[in-house]
Amino acid sequence: MRREIHQNLVKRNGHGGQNGHAMPELPPFAQRPAPHRPEKEFPLETVLADDGSADLSRLHLPAERLVSLYRLMVLNRLLDERMIQLQRQGRIGFYIGSIGEEATVLGAAAAMADQDWIFPCYREHGAALLRGLPLQRFLCDLLGNSGDLMLGHQMPCHEAFAAGRFASISSPIATQIPQAVGAGWAARIKGDDMVPLVYFGEGATSANDFHTGLNFAGVRKVPVVFVCRNNGWAISVPRERQTAAVTFAEKALGYGMRGERVDGNDLLAVYEATRLARARAHAGEGPTLIECVTYRMEGHSTSDDPRAYRAPELVEPWRKKDPILRLKAHLAWRGLLSEADDAALREQAQAEILAAMREAEALPPKPPLESLFQGVYAEPLWQQREQLEELRAAVDADPRAARLREEG
């Protein structure tokens, strides 16, 4: 009986194929072509040369915009360094930055259109600032005070900025990937001119949400740009322990989409790859997976000490590839930035950070109690109203709260 069923299936599907489509005849194993060679099929695309020169025909960024992005990269770096100091001083509780990865973050974000949503991982504070998040409000998020746009509902460094189409940062690994695909799919159904950009680290490619998101996007040709920040480390797990694949870009093949591999410390290369990916998505050609090869030069976060698992000599070669130094050399090569300009720009960025920090720290230290359930439902449920009243009573009865009110 089993043999008869099998023969009927073969007759219906033809050589064991699915859905009525005959499977192609395969050559014997010995005659099949050799497996692909990722290092050749996915070469590392670079625009900036070591001396700062570049093929100007490949540049699609106006000079003024390029200088503006350089200034934002410097601000991002100085901000990260300052916030690490503040965490060590106990003035903020936690910080996770992007030192060494600024070109990947800002090059990708700059290539998207204003109407595109950005779905960040957790190092993309520079992209939020690029989209107009005021620096002072970003610092309020770190403090969780009354100026926090997240009303103290989120962890520090988990900002969102709806006005700039910057979705909330989430700690769970890779959850933002299917969210971005869903946004792209919705935009396509509604006919909206919007292509989401989603960032994730190379460690996220081991998560099930990576497969879920890319598989759906590949099958449905969803307009979305996937940016994998391959910084070499998923906290303490090196890239070599994350995947047996030679590159992360080649994973695109398995989902039937285009894959690109670029120098993630080269802002011009990242910008160009993202610009083209966005154009293809907008034209209905589906998603692109871009692997940006960069390096995490510091710890995973202020809760991590990389000296426990990473030899210092591994970092040194990457310091010579610092994305800020490389773009600075390019701007100097084109006569767009002098040493004096650079010094003034850095001084201005430092002053901006200090002023924003003073403003943020001057605000009341906590959001109002009334904001506790704000944004959870359109209207609070009776249970939430009841809990809020209980909380008010508890705070009023607490002598510590009374002392804080007296101190202003």
Side-chain angles (χ1 to χ4, degrees):
M1 175 62 77
R2 183 177 295 176
R3 184 174 182 180
E4 183 179 342
I5 292 173
H6 174 72
Q7 288 172 340
N8 287 336
L9 284 172
V10 169
K11 285 179 184 176
R12 190 176 69 192
N13 297 332
H15 299 295
Q18 292 177 312
N19 302 324
H21 299 292
M23 294 290 286
E25 292 289 348
L26 293 174
F29 280 113
Q31 297 176 19
R32 291 182 190 178
H36 69 280
R37 302 180 65 181
E39 66 277 9
K40 289 192 175 182
E41 295 178 18
F42 296 94
L44 192 68
E45 295 289 345
T46 300
V47 175
L48 287 176
D50 291 342
D51 62 357
S53 62
D55 178 359
L56 295 181
S57 67
R58 300 182 65 186
L59 303 186
H60 295 86
L61 270 168
E64 186 177 338
R65 182 95 194 280
L66 197 54
V67 174
S68 172
L69 286 172
Y70 174 73
R71 182 192 174 283
L72 198 48
M73 288 173 72
V74 170
L75 176 70
N76 198 166
R77 175 70 60 88
L78 295 175
L79 179 67
D80 283 352
E81 292 173 347
R82 182 64 177 160
M83 293 305 106
I84 292 172
Q85 290 176 358
L86 292 189
Q87 194 278 334
R88 301 301 188 232
Q89 294 169 0
R91 292 164 68 183
I92 61 174
F94 172 82
Y95 194 75
I96 183 166
S98 59
I99 292 178
E101 303 175 47
E102 295 90 346
T104 291
V105 173
L106 287 164
M112 302 302 288
D114 291 343
Q115 68 269 25
D116 297 334
W117 273 90
I118 292 177
F119 290 79
C121 179
Y122 38 59
R123 300 189 190 278
E124 289 78 20
H125 313 311
L129 298 177
L130 179 70
R131 283 296 181 92
L133 175 64
L135 185 54
Q136 182 247 19
R137 301 305 292 267
F138 170 72
L139 296 172
C140 287
D141 169 75
L142 300 180
L143 297 168
N145 66 11
S146 60
D148 178 12
L149 290 172
M150 307 301 286
L151 303 170
H153 295 179
Q154 267 280 25
M155 282 180 61
C157 279
H158 284 56
E159 69 273 14
F161 185 51
R165 297 200 160 207
F166 187 87
S168 175
I169 289 173
S170 297
S171 280
I173 300 299
T175 51
Q176 72 275 21
I177 297 176
Q179 293 166 4
V181 173
W185 182 233
R188 180 171 156 185
I189 292 172
K190 294 162 64 179
D192 292 346
D193 178 13
M194 196 282 286
V195 176
L197 163 70
V198 56
Y199 296 93
F200 49 91
E202 82 283 355
T205 63
S206 297
N208 57 350
D209 278 340
F210 172 80
H211 168 73
T212 302
L214 270 73
N215 191 56
F216 188 92
V219 170
R220 300 285 183 170
K221 288 196 176 302
V222 177
V224 59
V225 179
F226 299 101
V227 171
C228 174
R229 273 188 300 92
N230 173 13
N231 66 14
W233 294 89
I235 308 185
S236 59
V237 179
R239 175 239 176 278
E240 295 75 18
R241 298 286 296 276
Q242 196 65 239
T243 180
V246 177
T247 73
F248 289 95
E250 69 192 86
K251 292 179 183 287
L253 295 176
Y255 301 104
M257 67 179 69
R258 184 162 176 149
E260 302 283 353
R261 186 165 172 259
V262 302
D263 182 344
N265 284 12
D266 178 344
L267 181 128
L268 301 180
V270 175
Y271 177 89
E272 187 63 7
T274 310
R275 184 184 72 82
L276 293 173
R278 202 265 173 201
R280 286 192 297 271
H282 184 256
E285 297 176 25
T288 300
L289 171 61
I290 303 173
E291 176 189 356
C292 295
V293 181
T294 179
Y295 201 75
R296 197 195 74 206
M297 294 205 292
E298 300 293 334
H300 173 73
S301 70
T302 50
S303 302
D304 175 44
D305 183 354
R307 293 174 299 180
Y309 54 82
R310 185 174 74 182
E313 53 267 28
L314 293 177
V315 184
E316 288 311 310
W318 288 93
R319 296 196 187 284
K320 297 174 183 174
K321 300 177 184 177
D322 188 312
I324 293 179
L325 296 181
R326 291 176 66 185
L327 188 56
K328 177 185 173 183
H330 175 70
L331 295 176
W333 177 73
R334 293 176 63 182
L336 299 174
L337 185 79
S338 66
E339 285 296 334
D341 294 335
D342 188 49
L345 179 151
R346 289 173 181 272
E347 187 177 349
Q348 184 184 25
Q350 285 282 19
E352 189 177 338
I353 292 168
L354 290 176
M357 197 66 207
R358 278 196 296 271
E359 291 174 18
E361 289 187 316
L363 291 173
K366 295 186 185 301
L369 286 184
E370 291 71 24
S371 67
L372 183 63
F373 296 114
Q374 187 176 328
V376 178
Y377 292 97
E379 295 292 336
L381 305 177
W382 68 265
Q383 296 94 332
Q384 293 164 351
R385 292 195 295 271
E386 191 175 279
Q387 289 170 29
L388 189 57
E389 289 307 314
E390 290 176 1
L391 179 62
R392 282 198 182 104
V395 171
D396 288 343
D398 192 325
R400 293 170 299 177
R403 189 169 62 249
L404 284 174
R405 282 194 293 272
E406 291 172 1
E407 293 173 357

